[in-house]
Amino acid sequence: PHEGEAVELFVQRARAASGTFELTRANQSAVADICRRLDGLPLALELAAVRTRALSAEQILERLTDRFALLTGGGRGALPRHQTLETAINWSHDLLTDDERRAFRRLCVFAGRFTLEDAAQVCDASVDVMSSLVDKSLVIKEDATAMARYRLHETMREYAQKKLAQANEVGELSERCTDYYAMRCRATALDARFHLLEWLAWTDLEIDNIRAILRHCMTARDSTRGLDLATALSWFWITRATTEGARWLDELLSLEPSDPANVAWAYFLRGFLGVLQGDWQASLPVLTQGIAWCHRHRLPEQLVHTLSMAAIAEVLAGDRDAAGRYLNSAEELAAQADDVTTRLSILQARSLNAIVAGDAEAAHAAATEGERLSRQAGDLYSRHMMLLNLGGAAILAGDPPASKPVFEEALKLAYQIDDRIGEFYLLAALAYHNATAGRTKIAAQLLGASDAIRTGAGATVMAMLAPFVDQAQEMATNALGETRFRLEFDTGRRLPRDAAVQLALGNSPSTEKPPPNTEDGQLSNRETDVARLVADGLSNKQIGARLFISERTVDSHVRSILNKLGFDSRAQIAGWIAGRGPGF
């Protein structure tokens, strides 16, 4: 049931059990937490409500460290099978066929949602078996996009985990799940950039399962499959989760993996993520290591990409001579390969180097060719980045008006694939255009929205963009005054990304009061629960005990929270929770 319905059910049953229970301002938070942690399951809520005869709601919440142990002793009129939560689930479990029992216990291997194909490949669960488990309310079916998805309530997942352990299948299922996701990601990785919308949609839905597999690989020190999986997810990290991707790569590389090709791609990708975040101190050393590794193991394809990225990193860090040397080496290698991705890598480095050098003509030529190639190949990521460079070249050539439609087209593409770094840059660029046109209120809001996305991506403002951001901020502040500018800037920070993009494109009016809880990186209900407990100082193990989820699931939630909010530490999560106020 919906949380409101679950609270109402708990209160009704508590009144029937104790005769005196009332929902008050003092206990409503504890009651809501009880309902969430029991997944809104009616039987679990009824058994918990019985405890109000002797315990307060707060005391029940404190004792929910083992839901199966606490929720015993239902009402006198209850059937024996309803006397405990575990007994009730046991009764339902005993009615299953052997195939249904086997599938049900194996489904706990999924940390998040899963498809029929996932269930069939990993758990040997047929369509008929899945349908039966859904009919018996042991598995939840939900529709995400055009594909049916499934998940287990945390209560059912905990129960299924016990059954899996009793069947001595934990190790086998963990391996099958790891092999399955490594295979799926590896099979789609090469063509992902040319089918980015479909690939990202699949990854967005599967990412919780993939995170659990990555954590399993780290725990098992399985650097080969872990790094294979992490590099196969490159476009997810690049567009959605730069901070999280960098963490996984750092952890997996620390295990000293041995597969030469995988390690080479990992060095390149880690350097790429550092460049996107403007973190030259992190990106340059790892790119240097990657270049040496590629030379040592004779990996020309990885080498040309790593050299091109090193050229970008060096020019953005201010060393144009080093950037030129890297770019020349990359171009010599690229001349031997007729590959569109290699050519795009070179063109991106060439156009950025030209912009920093102040050569508008060279920047325009490289970006134009890059835009043509990426459009022809169906590479949405490269195309919107080349358009961004074309806009920069127009400004450099002294023709800012010509850059506006180019930036708008780039923003549409960035929004289409939800590339956070691209959105950050392009909102800032269009804030500059609004400021110069006298639309300073919109400019202030776009600057705020851009800053929120930048923070969420863990990025810093690149030196070549900073003057435009500063100029837009100065014009807006002069026109609005410091206090009004700050109010509009903060309004922009709270705008959802889609509203900010529409505002930048002139498709929606400025929003004075955005809806609550819509800032970049909005947390799910479960992530909010985890964030609150992180703020209370609890460890992952303690949070798992409180929420009745595994420690690895908590770890996955914490990583997701850090990525969505653009934080690097649990202390920042605690500060964010404190800033939301007591009602959050």
Side-chain angles (χ1 to χ4, degrees):
H2 185 273
E3 184 173 305
E5 295 173 352
V7 169
E8 184 178 353
L9 177 61
F10 178 87
V11 172
Q12 289 175 353
R13 294 297 184 263
R15 284 174 181 162
S18 68
T20 59
F21 185 84
E22 293 293 336
L23 185 67
T24 66
R25 293 184 65 180
N27 67 17
Q28 64 182 3
S29 177
V31 170
D33 280 346
I34 289 170
C35 294
R36 277 196 296 269
R37 294 176 192 183
L38 294 177
D39 302 317
L41 294 174
L43 175 60
L45 294 173
E46 184 163 354
L47 293 173
V50 169
R51 291 301 178 185
T52 60
R53 293 172 180 166
L55 302 172
S56 68
E58 291 80 5
Q59 288 173 315
I60 294 172
L61 186 60
E62 289 175 2
R63 286 162 174 77
L64 276 177
T65 53
D66 184 344
R67 71 184 82 193
F68 293 126
L70 174 70
L71 303 182
T72 59
R76 294 177 181 175
L79 293 172
R81 65 178 178 266
H82 285 175
Q83 288 295 308
T84 68
L85 178 59
E86 187 163 19
T87 300
I89 300 177
N90 271 331
W91 182 79
S92 296
H93 184 265
D94 290 343
L95 296 177
L96 300 177
T97 65
D98 288 343
D99 286 345
E100 290 168 344
R101 288 194 196 104
R102 181 173 59 252
F104 172 65
R105 68 175 179 261
R106 290 179 173 183
L107 291 173
C108 73
V109 75
F110 297 111
R113 293 174 292 175
F114 52 90
T115 65
L116 281 173
E117 182 182 1
D118 299 336
Q121 294 294 322
V122 178
C123 307
D124 297 324
S126 67
V127 174
D128 289 342
V129 166
M130 289 299 298
S131 297
S132 180
L133 293 174
V134 170
D135 291 341
K136 293 177 172 65
S137 299
L138 293 172
V139 173
I140 300 167
K141 176 179 176 289
E142 55 187 35
D143 293 320
T145 64
M147 183 181 296
R149 309 286 294 187
Y150 302 85
R151 65 181 176 87
L152 295 180
H153 271 304
E154 287 293 347
T155 300
M156 294 302 181
R157 187 164 184 256
E158 180 185 353
Y159 180 90
Q161 285 171 333
K162 292 182 178 182
K163 292 297 182 183
L164 192 70
Q166 290 169 8
N168 294 317
E169 292 183 333
V170 174
E172 175 192 347
L173 263 292
S174 294
E175 286 300 298
R176 288 180 68 170
C177 199
T178 301
D179 283 341
Y180 172 71
Y181 279 106
M183 178 272 296
R184 286 291 303 271
C185 291
R186 185 169 54 246
T188 59
L190 289 177
D191 291 330
R193 71 186 292 169
F194 305 114
H195 306 280
L196 213 48
L197 290 175
E198 299 87 347
W199 185 86
L200 284 170
W202 177 82
T203 310
D204 281 335
L205 291 170
E206 293 280 10
I207 191 60
D208 284 339
N209 296 319
I210 295 171
R211 285 180 176 125
I213 297 303
L214 284 168
R215 177 49 54 195
H216 169 72
C217 290
M218 281 298 304
T219 302
R221 300 187 68 80
D222 184 353
S223 60
T224 299
R225 285 188 299 179
L227 204 61
D228 197 17
L229 191 55
T231 52
L233 287 174
S234 60
W235 294 105
F236 180 82
W237 309 134
I238 289 164
T239 59
R240 303 282 200 278
T242 49
T243 301
E244 182 184 0
R247 286 198 188 97
W248 283 120
L249 291 167
D250 286 342
E251 289 185 30
L252 289 161
L253 284 169
S254 73
L255 297 180
E256 299 183 355
S258 56
D259 184 286
N262 264 354
V263 173
W265 283 124
Y267 280 134
F268 162 74
L269 179 56
R270 181 61 184 90
F272 193 168
L273 297 176
V275 165
L276 289 174
Q277 293 183 309
D279 186 356
W280 323 125
Q281 290 183 337
S283 62
L284 284 170
V286 77
L287 288 169
T288 301
Q289 286 179 278
I291 291 168
W293 182 273
C294 290
H295 279 301
R296 186 183 316 141
H297 295 279
R298 299 180 180 179
L299 299 166
E301 181 184 1
Q302 290 92 329
L303 178 57
V304 68
H305 286 282
T306 308
L307 285 166
S308 298
M309 192 56 61
I312 293 172
E314 288 286 12
V315 77
L316 294 175
D319 192 340
R320 288 166 53 188
D321 291 339
R325 289 194 296 273
Y326 282 135
L327 183 55
N328 289 338
S329 297
E331 288 179 328
E332 288 176 12
L333 277 172
Q336 305 169 25
D338 184 21
D339 174 70
V340 67
T341 62
T342 300
R343 292 163 68 191
L344 285 171
S345 182
I346 294 291
L347 289 166
Q348 176 70 0
R350 191 185 293 166
S351 60
L352 279 173
N353 282 19
I355 287 173
V356 173
D359 189 341
E361 185 177 348
H364 179 83
T368 297
E369 176 64 6
E371 195 276 335
R372 184 191 67 80
L373 280 177
S374 56
R375 177 163 32 87
Q376 202 172 59
D379 185 345
L380 297 178
Y381 181 85
S382 292
R383 188 177 172 213
H384 87 274
M385 282 298 181
M386 292 299 180
L387 287 168
L388 176 61
N389 294 343
L390 273 173
I395 291 176
L396 188 63
D399 189 8
S403 70
K404 186 173 183 289
V406 179
F407 286 144
E408 289 175 339
E409 186 177 0
L411 179 58
K412 291 175 185 177
L413 291 172
Y415 178 63
Q416 190 178 11
I417 61 175
D418 196 16
D419 174 36
R420 312 293 168 82
I421 297 292
E423 290 166 347
F424 143 56
Y425 288 141
L426 290 160
L427 286 174
L430 290 168
Y432 166 78
H433 276 288
N434 276 278
T436 57
R439 295 186 290 271
T440 50
K441 176 181 172 181
I442 292 177
Q445 291 190 7
L446 292 179
L447 286 170
S450 173
D451 189 65
I453 297 174
R454 178 191 62 78
T455 302
T460 59
V461 179
M462 288 186 180
M464 66 182 191
L465 183 65
F468 300 102
V469 174
D470 292 343
Q471 188 176 347
Q473 182 166 331
E474 182 180 356
M475 286 187 288
T477 303
N478 289 340
L480 299 172
E482 183 66 40
T483 301
R484 179 70 185 281
F485 171 80
R486 183 50 55 183
L487 285 172
E488 298 299 345
F489 184 89
D490 290 343
T491 294
R493 279 191 61 84
R494 295 192 300 274
L495 282 174
R497 279 195 304 279
D498 57 350
V501 169
Q502 294 307 314
L503 181 63
L505 297 175
N507 295 334
S508 66
S510 170
T511 303
E512 292 288 350
K513 294 182 179 179
N517 296 334
T518 56
E519 65 184 273
D520 180 65
Q522 181 180 359
L523 306 185
S524 67
N525 288 337
R526 177 60 84 190
E527 289 168 343
T528 300
D529 291 339
V530 171
R532 286 195 188 105
L533 295 174
V534 168
D536 288 341
L538 274 65
S539 66
N540 284 1
K541 184 175 183 180
Q542 292 169 322
I543 293 171
R546 285 280 190 96
L547 299 181
F548 313 110
I549 56 180
S550 68
E551 189 173 350
R552 72 176 186 176
T553 300
V554 176
D555 180 76
S556 177
H557 284 314
V558 171
R559 285 177 176 276
S560 179
I561 292 165
L562 289 168
N563 176 61
K564 285 184 175 182
L565 300 180
F567 295 156
D568 295 311
S569 70
R570 297 167 80 93
Q572 288 174 298
I573 296 175
W576 183 79
I577 286 289
R580 303 293 289 173
F584 176 65

